[in-house]
Amino acid sequence: MNGVHDLGGMDGMGPIVVEENEPVFHAEWERRVFGMFLPIFACGYFNIDELRHAIEKMGAPAYLNTSYYEHWLHAYETLLVEKGAITAQELAARRAEIAQGAA
Amino acid sequence: MASSAHTRPLSDVEIRVKALESLLLEKGLIDQAAVDALIDTYEHKVGPRNGARVVARAWVDPAYKQRLLTDGTTAIAELGYSGIQGEDMVVVENTPEVHNVLVCTLCSCYPWPTLGLPPVWYKSAPYRSRVVSDPRGVLREFGTELAPETEVRVWDSTSEVRFMVLPERPAGTEGMSEEALAALVTRDAMIGVTKLKA
């Protein structure tokens, strides 16, 4: 699939920013998203190609304006709902509960 | 990770992650211990020190180097490094004539068993877009100036094949032990954006 993810040779993406002594993860939520990677695959709902395809379907503005582990999170949510492992309603309800509890 | 530890409202992405993880745990689809184990492995156990040991072995053992360049996956597994995102490894050798550098233009493919998880810049749009169109310019930004006659090869990783660079052994390291050599080897040299110094 041709799209914004296919970045090789594209101009105008700005400078390469290198972080000295970069940590493996930059936030606890990144740790959790990474940690779910294999356990979610082990559920058997989707494979690595479907994961990347879900990321490629994000749309150009979202793809370029969100961080790497947000791409993974988007793909998990999208595919697990599409495959029926969870429902969008359950996810929305749980988010609302957590937002209220943490507010 | 207890919510009481937070002194500020959770961000949207934090809420999304907590919601998803808690739902999956509740449904028994994932196991907390498995999530924690994966994090611990890649945060604390697997990283570029693994790749550095492979490189040092190749420098001191010509037969191993030959195996490494012929069948990277098997030779790397000899040192105990294998597994996901490293199932099919191809090792490319830097020489005075040829300089190799790695990218994944489509996403973030990277040899996890030998290098760990990739740095943010490797996964970023600026690096992925530009290293294939202007590799010498990108290398210069990393402080690597190549002779005009040096050939540059850029390897685009895929989810099937992962590459790793075997850097040139620095001059003046002839008497050094394998362990001391491994300490010289950096992640960036195994990606191919820098050269090593003694």
Side-chain angles (χ1 to χ4, degrees):
Chain A
M1 190 173 93
N2 187 350
V4 71
H5 62 280
D6 195 354
L7 281 161
M10 207 178 282
D11 290 329
M13 289 293 156
I16 298 164
V17 179
V18 175
E19 181 182 350
E20 292 300 324
N21 302 313
E22 181 181 332
V24 177
F25 301 107
H26 290 78
E28 178 59 20
W29 70 265
E30 290 193 349
R31 267 190 200 91
R32 307 316 300 171
V33 170
F34 175 77
M36 284 190 274
F37 181 71
L38 287 186
I40 284 180
F41 275 111
C43 298
Y45 286 102
F46 55 86
N47 63 30
I48 189 82
D49 298 317
E50 288 174 286
L51 180 91
R52 208 179 72 195
H53 188 231
I55 292 171
E56 291 169 1
K57 288 191 297 183
M58 285 178 81
Y63 183 86
L64 292 173
N65 284 313
T66 52
S67 70
Y68 181 71
Y69 286 112
E70 285 178 86
H71 294 176
W72 284 25
L73 175 63
H74 170 86
Y76 293 169
E77 292 168 342
T78 305
L79 291 166
L80 290 170
V81 169
E82 276 180 17
K83 307 277 181 173
I86 56 175
T87 68
Q89 291 74 19
E90 284 175 318
L91 203 49
R94 182 59 53 91
R95 285 179 190 168
E97 284 169 29
I98 290 169
Q100 279 171 3
Chain B
M1 280 69 73
S3 58
S4 59
H6 287 278
T7 54
R8 56 173 175 79
L10 295 173
S11 68
D12 284 348
V13 72
E14 287 171 325
I15 291 169
R16 285 169 59 196
V17 173
K18 281 179 181 288
L20 183 66
E21 186 175 12
S22 73
L23 264 184
L24 296 178
L25 289 169
E26 193 176 283
K27 287 172 178 282
L29 290 170
I30 63 171
D31 174 50
Q32 184 80 62
V35 175
D36 292 339
L38 189 65
I39 296 166
D40 182 54
T41 298
Y42 286 93
E43 190 160 27
H44 302 296
K45 294 175 182 150
V46 177
R49 289 302 93 215
N50 292 0
R53 288 187 195 103
V54 171
V55 168
R57 176 66 53 86
W59 285 345
V60 300
D61 180 345
Y64 180 77
K65 178 178 162 182
Q66 191 56 49
R67 292 200 296 283
L68 184 66
L69 296 175
T70 308
D71 178 357
T73 314
T74 304
I76 288 166
E78 282 180 40
L79 300 195
Y81 312 129
S82 61
I84 57 159
Q85 316 285 320
E87 294 93 339
D88 288 288
M89 288 292 303
V90 172
V91 179
V92 289
E93 181 185 18
N94 279 355
T95 66
E97 293 77 34
V98 176
H99 186 93
N100 299 282
V101 60
L102 315 183
V103 66
C104 175
T105 60
L106 292 177
C107 190
S108 57
C109 291
Y110 192 75
W112 289 11
T114 42
L115 297 192
L117 300 181
V120 167
W121 61 258
Y122 180 89
K123 303 180 285 192
S124 73
Y127 180 76
R128 287 160 50 197
S129 59
R130 198 143 53 83
V131 75
V132 294
S133 55
D134 180 22
R136 286 175 194 275
V138 167
L139 290 171
R140 206 171 291 125
E141 284 176 47
F142 280 89
T144 306
E145 193 71 49
L146 296 179
E149 63 273 19
T150 302
E151 180 187 340
V152 182
R153 294 181 188 165
V154 182
W155 299 85
D156 198 353
S157 311
T158 70
S159 57
E160 279 77 39
V161 178
R162 314 281 164 136
F163 301 97
M164 185 178 106
V165 173
L166 174 59
E168 284 179 83
R169 180 171 174 168
T173 60
E174 289 72 17
M176 288 174 70
S177 69
E178 188 176 330
E179 199 183 334
L181 288 168
L184 298 177
V185 182
T186 65
R187 177 196 71 197
D188 288 0
M190 292 182 282
I191 298 174
V193 290
T194 58
K195 291 178 163 231
L196 295 173
K197 299 177 190 72

